[in-house]
Amino acid sequence: MRVADLPLSAEHVAHFEAEGIEELYPPQAAAVEAGVCDGGNVVAAVPTASGKTFVAELALLTADGPGLYVCPLRALAREKYEEFDRLPGVDAGISTGDYDSAASDLAGRDVVVATSEKVDSAIRNGAEWVDDLACVVVDEVHLLGSPGRGPTLEVTLATLRRRSPDVQVVALSATVDNPGAIASWLDAELVESTWRPVDLRTGVYADDGVRFDDGTELSLPVDAADPGSDVDTEATAELVADAVADGGQALAFVSSRREAEALADRLTDDRLTDAVDAAREGASPDAADAIAGVDDPGMAAAEVAEELREAGATATGERLAEAAAWGVAFHHAGLSSDHRTLVERAFRQRRLAVICATPTLAAGVNVPARRVVVRDQRRYTGSGTEWLPVLEVHQMCGRAGRPHLDPYGEAVLVADDADERGDLWDRYVTADPERVESKLRDPAALRTHTLALVATGVAGSQAEVLDALGGTFYASRTSNPNLGGVVGDAVAALIDDGLLAPTDGGGIEATALGAQVSRQYVTPDTGVRIVEGLDAVASMDPDDVTELTALEIVCDAPDMVDTYLGNAERAEIYQFARSRSAELTTGMTEADDFEAWLESVKTARILAEWIDGASVEELVDAYRIGPGDLESRIERAEWLLGAAAALADVVGVDVPAFASARSRL
Ligand code: ADP
């Protein structure tokens, strides 16, 4: 099937042809046959890099009105927005931040790109533009199964479909075990395919070699003489250097930030330089290109290093720049978003040969490589380690193979020893990914969405809440008409918390506080924590109510990200809390979970120093956090301080510190 044969305008056909898309990939053709250009609902469960964006564009361009593209991450949203905005004649808009607005400026756009949280919050704030949508595309719909955002995604989709019953829904998914369940929920045709534009072979490394699932083997002895390094790491270094010497790029996945940096450091040695040189001298004309995409790879790496330095003169930035000068980078959530973006872009431009990353990279933006090496298949939990889900490992492996550049992609899982080879083989190489199951039954998620349904006037009774939730993935998966009584529990808890109230007619309504909690897009639990803080403030000496007070309240709220508190700094934070206890809303003996509260005090202290002028570098040094951690906490604090100020108005407690701290963040 050719692009020219599709119901697209000549300028759109020309646009796609200019991008190298002339003939449809088989899954794309299947999506067209399933009705994606005719307003039909389609679920496409296909591998990474099989051209899902084009399927989305087909739906958006052929729809009979405005379209919405929902995706999980802001970095992804930006990437897609730029892509859609390049489409001739398409006026695209993006909305990802500010949870307390209806985003009315998006009305009238041809295509809006937003995260599901943003759409959900816009709906809660009265967005009417969602009623005009002709088409909704949901990317990464398998995230329905993720605890935090899955429930938001399914409730939002159910709401959009309830408000516009004729809206076309196109959902794009990674390969999962039960895509049929998602398709049946959305009344959609299912397109399921394992086709990839570049062949992928997956294997396990053990005992000096890789055995791949296509029967081939690769012998790669490890030089065990390297002191201070383990066999896994040495094998990873060999696998990476081998791919680079062959003119490819490599991604290496490890379990933690520290490991990612340590591996990058380990790779910046002569072996990789030799590999880069080998590639430059060129087994093939493409090889030198693969290192740098330009004439002189050494120069390109030096430029990347310089760009990284310019983007932030922190110690992390410096370490990153030093590694980049060798063609290697590390990538994890502790990096500032500017550094992350630069690393991703430089790698895509082939100005970096290797990225050592934590698993989050696999869920993010498009960074294909010749070879993917998964050195660690377990991740740390609070109390030990656990195996990564199959879906997650498959997403990492799926990054292998750059269309038009690599003859094939290779994914290699590194085993600790020969015994583990079989384990990894069964667990990840031959295993199917997990099923996607709804997480809406989680009481906290259900309270959040129940409150929103009542506060937005969709539901005025428990029965109507049930009715509204009837359109969710969760409801489609259970035969129990009252969803097992869980909605009743949620309503009771919300009444208890003062966010809902019974009406005379036997129904329920949101209290002024509940309505504001919903509009501010904080969870009911965060709302309750803020109100507790306000109660405490009301009985404090006004002189003691400072910005630290405001920050302690919001940092202790469940919607704030936790900050790790190490043993070494615990005593100091404890002392800090004692010395400033008059300003804090929680007494030293009152916290239900003292350790969690101390962590909040640490976050509050970091932010207080930040607004008092401490630099990123000072805070990173003093508190052992990454620049990216600081960024994410500042952003959350901004949102939560705004919410707290709005709730303070409702409760009638005057706390100017919320607004003043917010303005100085
Ligand atoms: P994913 O399925 O991971 O979202 P993308 O949509 O990003 O994959 O597509 C991966 C790459 O394949 C892009 O560079 C895109 O331009 C290219 N591509 C998509 N469809 C075709 C096609 N039919 N012919 C040639 N290249 C294509």
Side-chain angles (χ1 to χ4, degrees):
M1 194 182 289
R2 299 178 56 79
V3 174
D5 301 332
L6 298 173
L8 295 174
S9 69
E11 57 177 355
H12 288 143
V13 171
H15 172 83
F16 289 122
E17 288 180 350
E19 300 222 317
I21 305 181
E22 287 182 33
E23 188 76 32
L24 270 63
Y25 287 158
Q28 295 169 336
V32 171
E33 274 154 22
V36 87
C37 298
D38 310 317
N41 291 355
V42 175
V43 169
V46 296
T48 313
S50 58
K52 291 195 277 288
T53 311
F54 180 67
V55 174
E57 288 170 323
L58 282 183
L60 295 166
L61 289 172
T62 54
D64 212 8
L68 170 67
Y69 183 93
V70 182
C71 73
L73 295 171
R74 284 198 278 168
L76 267 178
R78 166 82 21 206
E79 201 176 285
K80 298 300 176 193
Y81 161 75
E82 283 166 7
E83 202 157 340
F84 298 153
D85 205 43
R86 280 200 300 274
L87 291 167
V90 169
D91 176 20
I94 179 166
S95 179
T96 49
D98 289 348
Y99 288 142
D100 58 348
S101 86
S104 311
D105 53 318
L106 295 175
R109 303 276 183 172
D110 302 316
V111 175
V112 169
V113 182
T115 59
S116 45
E117 287 72 23
K118 180 61 218 183
V119 181
D120 186 20
S121 67
I123 290 173
R124 291 198 207 177
N125 283 282
E128 282 171 9
W129 54 269
V130 297
D131 293 327
D132 301 329
L133 295 172
C135 173
V136 175
V137 180
V138 183
D139 196 7
E140 316 263 348
V141 74
H142 53 269
L143 289 176
L144 280 171
S146 91
R149 30 191 19 156
T152 302
L153 181 57
E154 62 173 295
V155 172
T156 303
L157 256 181
T159 302
L160 291 172
R161 295 182 79 209
R162 192 181 57 247
R163 289 176 64 158
S164 313
D166 294 331
V167 72
Q168 175 184 18
V169 179
V170 174
L172 309 170
S173 170
T175 321
V176 294
D177 201 40
N178 58 338
I182 303 175
S184 121
W185 167 48
L186 295 173
D187 306 308
E189 289 287 320
L190 174 64
V191 172
E192 198 178 1
S193 166
T194 54
W195 182 90
R196 291 175 37 105
V198 189
D199 284 339
L200 173 67
R201 56 183 187 221
T202 305
V204 178
Y205 181 99
D207 279 348
D208 292 343
V210 186
R211 255 183 246 154
F212 286 104
D213 56 354
D214 63 356
T216 55
E217 297 198 7
L218 172 70
S219 164
L220 216 54
V222 166
D223 178 7
D226 270 308
S229 190
D230 54 82
V231 178
D232 289 19
T233 302
E234 292 315 305
T236 303
E238 286 296 340
L239 285 160
V240 164
D242 175 67
V244 173
D246 197 34
Q249 288 170 286
L251 290 176
F253 286 103
V254 293
S255 58
S256 69
R257 300 169 176 196
R258 200 163 45 85
E259 296 287 349
E261 297 198 18
L263 181 62
D265 190 44
R266 165 69 192 78
L267 291 177
T268 53
D269 72 0
D270 294 344
R271 206 158 20 152
L272 200 70
T273 321
D274 291 348
V276 171
D277 285 346
R280 284 170 71 181
E281 278 159 24
S284 76
D286 285 347
D289 256 17
I291 300 303
V294 284
D295 298 338
D296 185 344
M299 181 70 119
E303 274 171 21
V304 175
E306 201 43 50
E307 287 166 22
L308 289 165
R309 280 196 183 96
E310 277 169 19
T314 57
T316 317
E318 183 51 36
R319 283 201 303 282
L320 195 54
E322 277 167 20
W326 296 75
V328 183
F330 50 87
H331 187 290
H332 56 64
L335 295 188
S336 70
S337 48
D338 284 351
H339 279 146
R340 280 200 300 265
T341 309
L342 272 174
V343 168
E344 290 156 10
R345 190 184 311 144
F347 189 77
R348 266 199 304 271
Q349 293 167 334
R350 295 185 285 151
R351 298 156 75 210
L352 286 171
V354 187
I355 299 181
C356 306
T358 52
T360 47
L361 180 68
V365 297
N366 193 15
V367 275
R370 164 83 62 87
R371 184 176 286 166
V372 169
V373 183
V374 185
R375 192 197 70 181
D376 304 336
Q377 302 85 24
R378 304 181 68 102
R379 104 169 104 228
Y380 300 108
T381 62
S383 50
T385 64
E386 66 184 14
W387 290 105
L388 294 174
V390 180
L391 182 61
E392 209 169 315
V393 172
H394 283 189
Q395 282 203 304
M396 296 177 192
C397 295
R399 299 277 167 194
R402 301 160 305 173
H404 314 302
L405 288 172
D406 292 324
Y408 49 81
E410 282 178 345
V412 181
L413 309 169
V414 180
D416 288 336
D417 50 41
D419 284 351
E420 208 191 53
R421 184 199 290 271
D423 264 11
L424 291 182
W425 191 268
D426 294 344
R427 185 177 288 279
Y428 294 117
V429 181
T430 54
D432 289 328
E434 291 81 6
R435 300 168 66 75
V436 174
E437 294 300 352
S438 169
K439 296 294 185 292
L440 187 57
R441 203 171 197 289
D442 168 61
L446 210 62
R447 282 198 298 277
T448 297
H449 295 291
T450 300
L451 175 62
L453 289 169
V454 179
T456 49
V458 171
S461 66
Q462 190 170 314
E464 286 175 10
V465 173
L466 271 173
D467 200 42
L469 292 176
T472 58
F473 184 48
Y474 176 44
S476 82
R477 305 287 292 149
T478 165
S479 52
N480 185 333
N482 70 3
L483 304 183
V486 283
V487 172
D489 296 345
V491 169
L494 290 164
I495 292 177
D496 239 22
D497 288 339
L499 303 176
L500 292 183
T503 59
D504 294 341
I508 41 175
E509 63 184 6
T511 61
L513 185 65
Q516 191 61 278
V517 164
S518 173
R519 277 198 298 274
Q520 294 300 322
Y521 205 63
V522 293
T523 56
D525 294 348
T526 284
V528 167
R529 171 63 186 95
I530 291 174
V531 170
E532 279 170 12
L534 292 169
D535 287 347
V537 164
S539 54
M540 278 163 68
D541 178 342
D543 287 345
D544 287 334
V545 181
T546 62
E547 287 173 348
L548 183 68
T549 316
L551 288 167
E552 182 235 352
I553 294 174
V554 300
C555 291
D556 195 35
D559 279 321
M560 177 52 93
V561 237
D562 295 336
T563 306
Y564 176 73
L565 180 66
N567 272 338
E569 53 187 349
R570 190 181 175 284
E572 204 200 322
I573 298 293
Y574 183 86
Q575 276 309 328
F576 174 80
R578 259 177 74 133
S579 66
R580 305 284 293 265
S581 63
E583 294 167 68
L584 304 177
T585 63
T586 308
M588 296 294 283
T589 54
E590 285 170 11
D592 291 338
D593 180 345
F594 188 71
E595 295 307 314
W597 177 71
L598 266 190
E599 286 178 12
S600 315
V601 172
K602 174 178 171 180
T603 317
R605 183 181 185 185
I606 295 171
L607 293 172
E609 289 185 17
W610 169 254
I611 60 182
D612 280 340
S615 67
V616 179
E617 194 49 23
E618 283 162 354
L619 295 172
V620 163
D621 257 5
Y623 297 105
R624 299 193 304 157
I625 53 169
D629 301 315
L630 182 62
E631 256 176 30
S632 57
R633 280 150 190 77
I634 291 172
E635 199 176 287
R636 292 260 173 147
E638 225 176 308
W639 160 45
L640 294 173
L641 286 166
L647 295 183
D649 271 354
V650 176
V651 176
V653 181
D654 187 28
V655 191
F658 287 130
S660 69
R662 185 167 193 251
S663 69
R664 298 204 307 134
L665 273 172

